Amino acid sequence: MLHFELVTPARLVRSEAVWQVVVPGTEGEFGVLEGHAPFMSTVKDGTIKIYRTQGAQPEEIQVQGGFAEVSAKGLTVLAEHVEG
Amino acid sequence: MASLKELKLRINSVKSTQKITKAKQMVAAAKLRKAQSAAEAARPYAGRLAAVMASLASKVQVGEGSPKLLAGTGKDQVHLLVVANSDRGLCGAFNANIVKAAKAKAQELIAEGKTVKFYLVGRKGRAPIRRDFPSAIAGGFDTTTVREAGFAEAEKIANELLAMYEAGQFDVAHLFYSRFRSALAQIPTTQQIIPVPAPTVAVANDGGAVVDYEPDEEAILADLLPRYLRVQLFGALLENMASEQGASMTAMDNATRNAGELIKKLTIQYNRSRQAAITTELVEIIAGAEAL
């Protein structure tokens, strides 16, 4: 499972283990699964899709002013504004 | 010697003052807890952003093409002092300490021949700074309209500062606020915010793995710099709020205790004069009876 964290300046919105997260990167959407190579990207304003398990309905969260970092520890998305 | 009635009035007035200070102390204690948890909730974001900034800054050379926010304007003439104060009083020397630090820095810069401008956040800093530097106030942000300053306010302040920076109105910005150590100790702090000083967080070693950047490092850095500034301001606002409540709690605790002492003293005085009056009366009666 992928460890996913969504953080805003005011609070830690999510910190959980999920199957896959699809992030709207500035240069195109990308999906992050467990074991993804270290990676940093800015995120354009849009929707993050969180798949808890394979094939499940994704949960959608609107983000603004985001930044994503994939490291050995998992995926961290820093966003200035979050809705949903 | 004050009359009995005067003393009684005096005691009552001190008692009602004590009630106010006591209530303010309790309010501050409750708000302090809230402010502290808000400051704690903001830590993950700030910490992570600083770590990312540090690892990026170590990879990017600061040079001609670097973003202005990182490299500076190339001049060091106009300094903007961003002074964050509270909107309310009754918090001891909290605001005075921040203003004092800002004024000291301003004098120092003026002595070096620099131009100093002020940007004031909060109500309580305006009057004392306007008195000493009436023409140097370049702008301000009013936080009285919101209950407590949050990220939205920090964002507005940061955007305004960025616009001023882009317009070339200043070269260097310093931020003055009070760092929260404990309810007893708040430390007036000065921090350079523009140009952004490279964060000095130890870069986490990712096991030598090569990190991919999308877009490249410089573009990400340029994108993150304004955000970093916003987070710095937000952090300062939160620290300030916690400090204000801490200072208020301590000041009101002292005031309540002083009022208690005053009441004790006045009560003793009151009782003494009452007894003196009774004694005099008795003496008069006895003397009158004996004369018969």
Side-chain angles (χ1 to χ4, degrees):
Chain A
M1 296 296 269
L2 171 77
H3 184 66
F4 167 64
E5 281 190 357
L6 178 59
V7 196
T8 68
R11 69 203 165 100
L12 185 65
V13 182
R14 287 292 154 83
S15 177
E16 57 194 1
V18 296
W19 174 67
Q20 186 194 17
V21 180
V22 176
V23 185
T26 335
E27 299 189 344
E29 277 201 349
F30 56 90
V32 182
L33 285 160
E34 192 188 358
H36 196 289
F39 177 63
M40 275 187 203
S41 170
T42 46
V43 175
K44 64 179 177 195
D45 301 350
T47 314
I48 290 184
K49 295 194 189 83
I50 304 160
Y51 296 80
R52 283 175 191 281
T53 52
Q54 194 165 0
Q57 273 296 315
E59 182 192 347
E60 298 191 344
I61 297 179
Q62 298 278 343
V63 295
Q64 264 178 43
F67 174 80
E69 182 194 11
V70 184
S71 68
K73 280 178 249 154
L75 167 69
T76 307
V77 176
L78 305 177
E80 291 196 331
H81 299 283
V82 165
E83 266 170 59
Chain B
M1 191 82 158
S3 76
L4 279 183
K5 193 174 175 206
E6 272 166 28
L7 276 173
K8 189 95 197 164
L9 283 175
R10 186 83 204 283
I11 290 170
N12 281 339
S13 121
V14 175
K15 264 187 190 157
S16 54
T17 307
Q18 192 190 28
K19 258 179 217 156
I20 294 169
T21 58
K22 186 126 201 197
K24 174 75 182 151
Q25 184 199 344
M26 280 187 306
V27 169
K31 281 199 178 162
L32 173 64
R33 218 162 303 140
K34 213 167 135 202
Q36 263 179 313
S37 62
E40 237 154 70
R43 226 161 268 159
Y45 187 92
R48 272 185 203 133
L49 195 59
V52 170
M53 290 283 296
S55 75
L56 281 173
S58 67
K59 289 193 177 83
V60 175
Q61 287 290 325
V62 177
E64 284 290 301
S66 297
K68 238 169 65 168
L69 265 180
L70 192 66
T73 52
K75 283 181 294 180
D76 182 28
Q77 183 52 39
V78 184
H79 286 248
L80 183 74
L81 307 186
V82 183
V83 188
N85 282 106
S86 71
D87 291 327
R88 276 162 227 274
L90 287 184
C91 48
F94 169 76
N95 287 310
N97 282 341
I98 298 174
V99 168
K100 211 197 291 166
K103 278 186 183 169
K105 180 81 180 174
Q107 306 287 15
E108 188 189 311
L109 286 169
I110 287 170
E112 284 172 25
K114 313 268 194 235
T115 314
V116 173
K117 288 180 182 172
F118 285 95
Y119 183 91
L120 306 175
V121 180
R123 199 162 62 94
K124 284 285 165 185
R126 278 183 223 154
I129 288 178
R130 191 166 287 153
R131 195 159 50 228
D132 281 20
F133 305 93
S135 56
I137 296 171
F141 188 82
D142 191 22
T143 48
T144 45
T145 48
V146 285
R147 246 183 110 78
E148 46 209 23
F151 186 68
E153 283 69 43
E155 205 174 1
K156 277 183 209 147
I157 297 169
N159 290 345
E160 210 169 309
L161 291 181
L162 286 173
M164 284 169 79
Y165 188 61
E166 287 299 323
Q169 290 186 25
F170 63 90
D171 302 314
V172 183
H174 307 269
L175 175 64
F176 293 84
Y177 66 100
S178 191
R179 208 148 48 80
F180 181 79
R181 171 70 63 77
S182 71
L184 288 170
Q186 299 86 31
I187 306 143
T189 308
T190 314
Q191 193 182 336
Q192 183 184 324
I193 47 170
I194 298 176
V196 176
T200 48
V201 178
V203 179
N205 200 341
D206 242 347
V210 183
V211 182
D212 271 335
Y213 293 95
E214 189 183 296
D216 56 27
E217 286 103 317
E218 271 138 57
I220 294 185
L221 191 61
D223 197 49
L224 287 188
L225 281 167
R227 286 189 212 171
Y228 188 65
L229 177 66
R230 275 173 228 152
V231 166
Q232 298 263 296
L233 280 168
F234 181 53
L237 288 185
L238 289 176
E239 290 273 343
N240 237 8
M241 260 195 287
S243 298
E244 181 199 346
Q245 301 308 341
S248 174
M249 210 174 93
T250 319
M252 289 304 111
D253 187 41
N254 280 338
T256 310
R257 211 165 301 155
N258 284 346
E261 264 165 42
L262 197 54
I263 289 172
K264 223 188 260 170
K265 253 189 225 157
L266 286 173
T267 312
I268 288 172
Q269 209 185 330
Y270 174 78
N271 288 343
R272 235 180 239 154
S273 14
R274 196 173 59 96
Q275 278 161 0
I278 292 169
T279 316
T280 327
E281 226 169 276
L282 277 177
V283 168
E284 273 166 15
I285 291 169
I286 293 164
E290 262 172 18
L292 284 175

